[in-house]
Amino acid sequence: MAGSQPAAWDEVSITRAIMEGFFQDFLDDLRLDVAIAGAGPSGLTAARCLARDGLRVAVFERNLYVGGGIWGGGMLFPRVVVQEEAAPLFREIGVRLRPAADDLFLADAVEAVSRSAAAAIDAGARIWVGMGVEDLVLREDERVCGVVLNWMAVERAGLHVDPLAVHARVVIDATGHEAEVARTLQRKVPGLRLRTASGEVLGERPMWSQVAEEVLEANTMEVHPGLIVAGMAAGAAHGSYRMGAIFGGMLLSGRKAAALAAEICRNGR
Ligand code: 48F
């Protein structure tokens, strides 16, 4: 600015701030209690509950934005429905709910994403975006002990770039309908039997909302030592039904996944 004192910073200061800040934070997260793949409703809820319990937790989200399937509500109508049992999990983070027909509650999708992400961060979780979980780290007895990461941009460009890894005592697969992390484990360890009834990831069935929601908490479990499935990944792992734009099960599943992961961390496995 002509005539005024030049600012102390220049372009290099901006670059330095970004690079130093990134690496300070990322180095902090190289050894986690819990690594969560996917920042949809189940992953964000799990992250908040774990961080609130004092565990070191990070979420790795492939996209540049968080929220997973919340944004689109139902068929691009940006409203999401939750049932009464799950309503407190939204209310406690300030998501306003309107009563809807048949004992359901309605939330604004943008508010639900924003408050879920903010609550997880406020509790102490860190969310990394643009980083996908492309594989797992294994140890003796095929125990899962970390995630293998790469940039979404690398994946999309189809570049041959080796990934980096972060250790975690527990990994939560909250990747949604494809249960990507559990499927990767199954694909890469021939003969592996998961702890699902079928021993494998069955994939999601067509829609039956009520049953899908009812069984989701039970399906949220450690499917392999060190690997918990949550949210739609838990449904898909067990070959359960699709539920559509009702999200209560996702919140309850995230909370249960957090409780299971915390228990594993406490028991020192
Ligand atoms: O799909 P998503 O919202 O999963 P969710 O928490 O909730 C499902 C509901 O949104 C909805 C539903 C309703 O009730 O059926 O679909 O189970 O969020 C999954 C997140 O994981 C990211 C993906 O971009 C999304 O934000 N994701 C998927 N694969 C990976 C991943 C991966 N390999 N690594 C990192 N993130």
Side-chain angles (χ1 to χ4, degrees), residues 37-43 60-63 65-70 131-134 174-177 180-181 213 230-233 243-247 250:
S42 63
F60 299 97
E61 165 56 51
R62 167 190 279 153
N63 275 315
Y65 53 85
V66 298
I70 302 177
M131 272 185 217
V133 173
E134 67 162 51
T175 59
H177 296 253
E180 273 196 35
V181 176
E213 287 286 286
M232 216 34 238
M243 71 281 296
I246 182 157
F247 283 70
M250 300 300 136

mmCIF file of all heavy atoms in Angstrom, residues 37-43 60-63 65-70 131-134 174-177 180-181 213 230-233 243-247 250, ligand 1:
data_model
loop_
_atom_site.group_PDB
_atom_site.id
_atom_site.type_symbol
_atom_site.label_atom_id
_atom_site.label_comp_id
_atom_site.label_asym_id
_atom_site.label_seq_id
_atom_site.Cartn_x
_atom_site.Cartn_y
_atom_site.Cartn_z
ATOM 1 N N ALA A 37 -11.968 -43.960 9.622
ATOM 2 C CA ALA A 37 -12.027 -43.732 8.173
ATOM 3 C C ALA A 37 -13.425 -43.263 7.829
ATOM 4 O O ALA A 37 -14.397 -44.008 7.983
ATOM 5 C CB ALA A 37 -11.706 -45.024 7.425
ATOM 6 N N GLY A 38 -13.543 -41.999 7.401
ATOM 7 C CA GLY A 38 -14.846 -41.485 6.966
ATOM 8 C C GLY A 38 -15.461 -40.515 7.952
ATOM 9 O O GLY A 38 -15.594 -40.825 9.135
ATOM 10 N N ALA A 39 -15.802 -39.320 7.432
ATOM 11 C CA ALA A 39 -16.390 -38.270 8.289
ATOM 12 C C ALA A 39 -17.867 -38.055 7.982
ATOM 13 O O ALA A 39 -18.343 -36.930 7.858
ATOM 14 C CB ALA A 39 -15.614 -36.962 8.113
ATOM 15 N N GLY A 40 -18.600 -39.153 7.844
ATOM 16 C CA GLY A 40 -20.059 -39.080 7.762
ATOM 17 C C GLY A 40 -20.639 -38.998 9.172
ATOM 18 O O GLY A 40 -19.895 -38.814 10.141
ATOM 19 N N PRO A 41 -21.960 -39.159 9.299
ATOM 20 C CA PRO A 41 -22.566 -39.031 10.630
ATOM 21 C C PRO A 41 -22.024 -40.037 11.648
ATOM 22 O O PRO A 41 -21.820 -39.683 12.810
ATOM 23 C CB PRO A 41 -24.057 -39.270 10.368
ATOM 24 C CG PRO A 41 -24.142 -39.868 8.996
ATOM 25 C CD PRO A 41 -22.954 -39.389 8.248
ATOM 26 N N SER A 42 -21.759 -41.269 11.219
ATOM 27 C CA SER A 42 -21.274 -42.248 12.204
ATOM 28 C C SER A 42 -19.837 -41.934 12.607
ATOM 29 O O SER A 42 -19.492 -41.994 13.795
ATOM 30 C CB SER A 42 -21.398 -43.678 11.662
ATOM 31 O OG SER A 42 -20.586 -43.857 10.529
ATOM 32 N N GLY A 43 -19.002 -41.581 11.638
ATOM 33 C CA GLY A 43 -17.599 -41.278 11.957
ATOM 34 C C GLY A 43 -17.470 -40.039 12.827
ATOM 35 O O GLY A 43 -16.680 -40.017 13.783
ATOM 36 N N PHE A 60 -9.976 -39.586 9.109
ATOM 37 C CA PHE A 60 -9.400 -39.400 7.780
ATOM 38 C C PHE A 60 -10.521 -39.488 6.762
ATOM 39 O O PHE A 60 -11.182 -40.524 6.643
ATOM 40 C CB PHE A 60 -8.312 -40.460 7.518
ATOM 41 C CG PHE A 60 -7.190 -40.342 8.517
ATOM 42 C CD1 PHE A 60 -7.155 -41.162 9.644
ATOM 43 C CD2 PHE A 60 -6.202 -39.385 8.348
ATOM 44 C CE1 PHE A 60 -6.148 -41.032 10.586
ATOM 45 C CE2 PHE A 60 -5.179 -39.249 9.284
ATOM 46 C CZ PHE A 60 -5.155 -40.073 10.405
ATOM 47 N N GLU A 61 -10.748 -38.378 6.095
ATOM 48 C CA GLU A 61 -11.868 -38.280 5.153
ATOM 49 C C GLU A 61 -11.314 -38.077 3.748
ATOM 50 O O GLU A 61 -10.545 -37.157 3.503
ATOM 51 C CB GLU A 61 -12.772 -37.110 5.564
ATOM 52 C CG GLU A 61 -13.761 -36.667 4.509
ATOM 53 C CD GLU A 61 -14.686 -37.772 3.993
ATOM 54 O OE1 GLU A 61 -15.292 -38.457 4.830
ATOM 55 O OE2 GLU A 61 -14.783 -37.943 2.767
ATOM 56 N N ARG A 62 -11.760 -38.939 2.861
ATOM 57 C CA ARG A 62 -11.243 -38.892 1.490
ATOM 58 C C ARG A 62 -11.617 -37.597 0.763
ATOM 59 O O ARG A 62 -10.823 -37.035 0.032
ATOM 60 C CB ARG A 62 -11.824 -40.082 0.752
ATOM 61 C CG ARG A 62 -11.629 -40.002 -0.717
ATOM 62 C CD ARG A 62 -12.427 -41.066 -1.395
ATOM 63 N NE ARG A 62 -11.718 -42.340 -1.327
ATOM 64 C CZ ARG A 62 -12.314 -43.528 -1.350
ATOM 65 N NH1 ARG A 62 -13.621 -43.600 -1.396
ATOM 66 N NH2 ARG A 62 -11.616 -44.617 -1.327
ATOM 67 N N ASN A 63 -12.821 -37.134 0.975
ATOM 68 C CA ASN A 63 -13.262 -35.914 0.296
ATOM 69 C C ASN A 63 -12.660 -34.671 0.934
ATOM 70 O O ASN A 63 -12.130 -34.726 2.048
ATOM 71 C CB ASN A 63 -14.790 -35.799 0.353
ATOM 72 C CG ASN A 63 -15.423 -36.570 -0.789
ATOM 73 O OD1 ASN A 63 -14.972 -36.481 -1.928
ATOM 74 N ND2 ASN A 63 -16.464 -37.312 -0.474
ATOM 75 N N TYR A 65 -14.459 -32.370 1.956
ATOM 76 C CA TYR A 65 -15.499 -31.868 2.865
ATOM 77 C C TYR A 65 -15.982 -33.005 3.762
ATOM 78 O O TYR A 65 -15.897 -34.171 3.394
ATOM 79 C CB TYR A 65 -16.679 -31.284 2.080
ATOM 80 C CG TYR A 65 -17.227 -32.241 1.046
ATOM 81 C CD1 TYR A 65 -18.165 -33.203 1.396
ATOM 82 C CD2 TYR A 65 -16.757 -32.228 -0.266
ATOM 83 C CE1 TYR A 65 -18.648 -34.110 0.466
ATOM 84 C CE2 TYR A 65 -17.232 -33.131 -1.205
ATOM 85 C CZ TYR A 65 -18.178 -34.067 -0.828
ATOM 86 O OH TYR A 65 -18.639 -34.972 -1.738
ATOM 87 N N VAL A 66 -16.487 -32.633 4.934
ATOM 88 C CA VAL A 66 -17.011 -33.640 5.864
ATOM 89 C C VAL A 66 -18.531 -33.750 5.693
ATOM 90 O O VAL A 66 -19.141 -32.929 5.014
ATOM 91 C CB VAL A 66 -16.682 -33.265 7.329
ATOM 92 C CG1 VAL A 66 -15.178 -33.207 7.546
ATOM 93 C CG2 VAL A 66 -17.338 -31.940 7.717
ATOM 94 N N GLY A 67 -19.106 -34.755 6.321
ATOM 95 C CA GLY A 67 -20.571 -34.854 6.345
ATOM 96 C C GLY A 67 -21.120 -36.055 5.611
ATOM 97 O O GLY A 67 -22.264 -36.441 5.840
ATOM 98 N N GLY A 68 -20.328 -36.633 4.718
ATOM 99 C CA GLY A 68 -20.780 -37.832 4.001
ATOM 100 C C GLY A 68 -22.151 -37.624 3.387
ATOM 101 O O GLY A 68 -22.382 -36.649 2.668
ATOM 102 N N GLY A 69 -23.064 -38.526 3.705
ATOM 103 C CA GLY A 69 -24.394 -38.504 3.085
ATOM 104 C C GLY A 69 -25.390 -37.549 3.718
ATOM 105 O O GLY A 69 -26.555 -37.510 3.311
ATOM 106 N N ILE A 70 -24.944 -36.772 4.729
ATOM 107 C CA ILE A 70 -25.928 -35.886 5.389
ATOM 108 C C ILE A 70 -26.374 -34.775 4.450
ATOM 109 O O ILE A 70 -27.561 -34.443 4.379
ATOM 110 C CB ILE A 70 -25.358 -35.246 6.682
ATOM 111 C CG1 ILE A 70 -24.907 -36.322 7.673
ATOM 112 C CG2 ILE A 70 -26.412 -34.351 7.336
ATOM 113 C CD1 ILE A 70 -24.275 -35.741 8.940
ATOM 114 N N MET A 131 -7.725 -36.993 2.462
ATOM 115 C CA MET A 131 -6.868 -38.172 2.704
ATOM 116 C C MET A 131 -7.735 -39.405 2.838
ATOM 117 O O MET A 131 -8.567 -39.474 3.735
ATOM 118 C CB MET A 131 -6.147 -38.014 4.049
ATOM 119 C CG MET A 131 -4.847 -37.301 3.983
ATOM 120 S SD MET A 131 -4.096 -37.346 5.617
ATOM 121 C CE MET A 131 -3.367 -35.727 5.632
ATOM 122 N N GLY A 132 -7.509 -40.362 1.953
ATOM 123 C CA GLY A 132 -8.284 -41.596 2.036
ATOM 124 C C GLY A 132 -7.505 -42.703 2.712
ATOM 125 O O GLY A 132 -6.269 -42.727 2.674
ATOM 126 N N VAL A 133 -8.255 -43.610 3.341
ATOM 127 C CA VAL A 133 -7.641 -44.824 3.905
ATOM 128 C C VAL A 133 -7.646 -45.853 2.791
ATOM 129 O O VAL A 133 -8.707 -46.321 2.380
ATOM 130 C CB VAL A 133 -8.449 -45.318 5.126
ATOM 131 C CG1 VAL A 133 -7.919 -46.666 5.609
ATOM 132 C CG2 VAL A 133 -8.413 -44.281 6.234
ATOM 133 N N GLU A 134 -6.465 -46.183 2.295
ATOM 134 C CA GLU A 134 -6.442 -47.120 1.165
ATOM 135 C C GLU A 134 -6.041 -48.520 1.591
ATOM 136 O O GLU A 134 -6.151 -49.461 0.812
ATOM 137 C CB GLU A 134 -5.538 -46.607 0.030
ATOM 138 C CG GLU A 134 -4.063 -46.564 0.373
ATOM 139 C CD GLU A 134 -3.176 -46.473 -0.869
ATOM 140 O OE1 GLU A 134 -3.423 -45.596 -1.713
ATOM 141 O OE2 GLU A 134 -2.226 -47.280 -0.970
ATOM 142 N N ALA A 174 -15.831 -46.263 9.027
ATOM 143 C CA ALA A 174 -17.092 -45.506 8.931
ATOM 144 C C ALA A 174 -17.210 -44.962 7.508
ATOM 145 O O ALA A 174 -17.588 -43.817 7.289
ATOM 146 C CB ALA A 174 -17.106 -44.375 9.963
ATOM 147 N N THR A 175 -16.854 -45.828 6.543
ATOM 148 C CA THR A 175 -16.771 -45.368 5.147
ATOM 149 C C THR A 175 -18.093 -45.455 4.397
ATOM 150 O O THR A 175 -18.135 -45.193 3.197
ATOM 151 C CB THR A 175 -15.701 -46.168 4.362
ATOM 152 O OG1 THR A 175 -16.053 -47.561 4.409
ATOM 153 C CG2 THR A 175 -14.304 -45.967 4.921
ATOM 154 N N GLY A 176 -19.166 -45.854 5.085
ATOM 155 C CA GLY A 176 -20.479 -45.835 4.425
ATOM 156 C C GLY A 176 -20.788 -47.127 3.683
ATOM 157 O O GLY A 176 -20.251 -48.196 3.991
ATOM 158 N N HIS A 177 -21.635 -46.980 2.680
ATOM 159 C CA HIS A 177 -22.274 -48.136 2.032
ATOM 160 C C HIS A 177 -21.309 -49.208 1.521
ATOM 161 O O HIS A 177 -21.682 -50.368 1.426
ATOM 162 C CB HIS A 177 -23.139 -47.658 0.863
ATOM 163 C CG HIS A 177 -24.281 -46.804 1.318
ATOM 164 N ND1 HIS A 177 -25.594 -47.234 1.334
ATOM 165 C CD2 HIS A 177 -24.306 -45.548 1.804
ATOM 166 C CE1 HIS A 177 -26.364 -46.274 1.798
ATOM 167 N NE2 HIS A 177 -25.613 -45.232 2.093
ATOM 168 N N GLU A 180 -15.563 -49.877 2.876
ATOM 169 C CA GLU A 180 -14.326 -50.002 2.086
ATOM 170 C C GLU A 180 -13.161 -50.607 2.839
ATOM 171 O O GLU A 180 -12.370 -51.363 2.278
ATOM 172 C CB GLU A 180 -13.891 -48.610 1.603
ATOM 173 C CG GLU A 180 -14.539 -48.236 0.320
ATOM 174 C CD GLU A 180 -13.818 -47.078 -0.339
ATOM 175 O OE1 GLU A 180 -12.575 -46.975 -0.240
ATOM 176 O OE2 GLU A 180 -14.517 -46.281 -0.960
ATOM 177 N N VAL A 181 -13.041 -50.236 4.108
ATOM 178 C CA VAL A 181 -11.864 -50.693 4.860
ATOM 179 C C VAL A 181 -11.980 -52.189 5.160
ATOM 180 O O VAL A 181 -11.030 -52.957 4.959
ATOM 181 C CB VAL A 181 -11.703 -49.859 6.151
ATOM 182 C CG1 VAL A 181 -10.549 -50.373 6.991
ATOM 183 C CG2 VAL A 181 -11.498 -48.389 5.798
ATOM 184 N N GLU A 213 -32.531 -49.928 10.613
ATOM 185 C CA GLU A 213 -32.204 -49.078 11.750
ATOM 186 C C GLU A 213 -32.154 -49.891 13.043
ATOM 187 O O GLU A 213 -31.284 -49.687 13.881
ATOM 188 C CB GLU A 213 -33.231 -47.941 11.881
ATOM 189 C CG GLU A 213 -33.087 -46.859 10.832
ATOM 190 C CD GLU A 213 -31.878 -45.951 11.074
ATOM 191 O OE1 GLU A 213 -31.908 -45.105 11.983
ATOM 192 O OE2 GLU A 213 -30.897 -46.101 10.324
ATOM 193 N N ALA A 230 -18.766 -49.281 11.652
ATOM 194 C CA ALA A 230 -19.794 -48.367 12.186
ATOM 195 C C ALA A 230 -20.625 -47.805 11.043
ATOM 196 O O ALA A 230 -20.178 -47.761 9.890
ATOM 197 C CB ALA A 230 -19.124 -47.222 12.949
ATOM 198 N N GLY A 231 -21.837 -47.366 11.394
ATOM 199 C CA GLY A 231 -22.707 -46.724 10.410
ATOM 200 C C GLY A 231 -23.069 -47.680 9.289
ATOM 201 O O GLY A 231 -23.196 -48.891 9.495
ATOM 202 N N MET A 232 -23.209 -47.136 8.099
ATOM 203 C CA MET A 232 -23.646 -47.968 6.977
ATOM 204 C C MET A 232 -22.639 -49.066 6.673
ATOM 205 O O MET A 232 -23.003 -50.110 6.132
ATOM 206 C CB MET A 232 -23.869 -47.061 5.765
ATOM 207 C CG MET A 232 -25.024 -47.459 4.889
ATOM 208 S SD MET A 232 -26.420 -48.181 5.724
ATOM 209 C CE MET A 232 -26.497 -49.756 4.886
ATOM 210 N N ALA A 233 -21.376 -48.835 7.025
ATOM 211 C CA ALA A 233 -20.377 -49.895 6.827
ATOM 212 C C ALA A 233 -20.720 -51.113 7.694
ATOM 213 O O ALA A 233 -20.469 -52.259 7.293
ATOM 214 C CB ALA A 233 -18.974 -49.382 7.158
ATOM 215 N N MET A 243 -31.381 -48.102 4.642
ATOM 216 C CA MET A 243 -32.438 -47.406 5.391
ATOM 217 C C MET A 243 -32.874 -46.091 4.765
ATOM 218 O O MET A 243 -33.901 -45.545 5.133
ATOM 219 C CB MET A 243 -32.049 -47.185 6.858
ATOM 220 C CG MET A 243 -30.989 -46.163 7.098
ATOM 221 S SD MET A 243 -29.370 -46.831 6.747
ATOM 222 C CE MET A 243 -29.207 -48.099 7.963
ATOM 223 N N GLY A 244 -32.086 -45.545 3.836
ATOM 224 C CA GLY A 244 -32.485 -44.263 3.246
ATOM 225 C C GLY A 244 -32.206 -43.117 4.195
ATOM 226 O O GLY A 244 -31.337 -43.203 5.061
ATOM 227 N N ALA A 245 -32.991 -42.052 4.062
ATOM 228 C CA ALA A 245 -32.639 -40.770 4.692
ATOM 229 C C ALA A 245 -33.050 -40.658 6.162
ATOM 230 O O ALA A 245 -33.422 -39.584 6.626
ATOM 231 C CB ALA A 245 -33.237 -39.621 3.884
ATOM 232 N N ILE A 246 -32.954 -41.748 6.893
ATOM 233 C CA ILE A 246 -33.149 -41.668 8.345
ATOM 234 C C ILE A 246 -31.786 -41.921 8.974
ATOM 235 O O ILE A 246 -31.089 -42.873 8.617
ATOM 236 C CB ILE A 246 -34.248 -42.641 8.850
ATOM 237 C CG1 ILE A 246 -34.445 -42.497 10.348
ATOM 238 C CG2 ILE A 246 -33.972 -44.086 8.459
ATOM 239 C CD1 ILE A 246 -35.814 -42.964 10.825
ATOM 240 N N PHE A 247 -31.374 -41.027 9.887
ATOM 241 C CA PHE A 247 -29.970 -40.995 10.311
ATOM 242 C C PHE A 247 -29.736 -41.373 11.774
ATOM 243 O O PHE A 247 -28.598 -41.379 12.226
ATOM 244 C CB PHE A 247 -29.392 -39.599 10.048
ATOM 245 C CG PHE A 247 -29.060 -39.380 8.593
ATOM 246 C CD1 PHE A 247 -30.072 -39.251 7.652
ATOM 247 C CD2 PHE A 247 -27.756 -39.330 8.166
ATOM 248 C CE1 PHE A 247 -29.781 -39.066 6.301
ATOM 249 C CE2 PHE A 247 -27.445 -39.147 6.824
ATOM 250 C CZ PHE A 247 -28.453 -39.018 5.898
ATOM 251 N N MET A 250 -27.261 -44.073 12.473
ATOM 252 C CA MET A 250 -25.859 -43.692 12.238
ATOM 253 C C MET A 250 -25.257 -43.089 13.513
ATOM 254 O O MET A 250 -24.114 -43.362 13.858
ATOM 255 C CB MET A 250 -25.750 -42.651 11.109
ATOM 256 C CG MET A 250 -26.289 -43.125 9.796
ATOM 257 S SD MET A 250 -25.408 -44.579 9.222
ATOM 258 C CE MET A 250 -26.770 -45.579 8.682
HETATM 259 O O1 48F B 1 -21.653 -42.370 3.634
HETATM 260 P P1 48F B 1 -21.466 -41.728 4.952
HETATM 261 O O2 48F B 1 -22.357 -40.623 5.338
HETATM 262 O O3 48F B 1 -21.452 -42.909 6.033
HETATM 263 P P2 48F B 1 -22.249 -43.181 7.393
HETATM 264 O O4 48F B 1 -21.661 -42.404 8.494
HETATM 265 O O5 48F B 1 -23.713 -42.603 7.118
HETATM 266 C C1 48F B 1 -24.526 -43.103 6.098
HETATM 267 C C2 48F B 1 -25.559 -42.040 5.763
HETATM 268 O O6 48F B 1 -24.942 -40.849 5.350
HETATM 269 C C3 48F B 1 -26.534 -42.444 4.668
HETATM 270 C C4 48F B 1 -27.484 -43.493 5.050
HETATM 271 C C5 48F B 1 -28.435 -43.142 6.078
HETATM 272 O O7 48F B 1 -28.912 -43.138 6.899
HETATM 273 O O8 48F B 1 -27.517 -44.549 4.525
HETATM 274 O O9 48F B 1 -25.839 -42.822 3.509
HETATM 275 O O10 48F B 1 -22.320 -44.637 7.502
HETATM 276 O O11 48F B 1 -19.979 -41.184 5.077
HETATM 277 C C6 48F B 1 -18.892 -41.983 4.738
HETATM 278 C C7 48F B 1 -17.705 -41.069 4.521
HETATM 279 O O12 48F B 1 -16.561 -41.863 4.325
HETATM 280 C C8 48F B 1 -15.785 -41.306 3.271
HETATM 281 C C9 48F B 1 -16.798 -40.752 2.310
HETATM 282 O O13 48F B 1 -16.228 -39.741 1.490
HETATM 283 C C10 48F B 1 -17.850 -40.203 3.265
HETATM 284 O O14 48F B 1 -17.613 -38.859 3.617
HETATM 285 N N1 48F B 1 -14.968 -42.396 2.742
HETATM 286 C C11 48F B 1 -15.368 -43.448 1.985
HETATM 287 N N2 48F B 1 -14.341 -44.254 1.759
HETATM 288 C C12 48F B 1 -13.253 -43.716 2.384
HETATM 289 C C13 48F B 1 -13.670 -42.528 3.018
HETATM 290 C C14 48F B 1 -11.898 -44.101 2.541
HETATM 291 N N3 48F B 1 -11.427 -45.213 1.992
HETATM 292 N N4 48F B 1 -11.090 -43.306 3.258
HETATM 293 C C15 48F B 1 -11.545 -42.159 3.829
HETATM 294 N N5 48F B 1 -12.823 -41.756 3.716
#
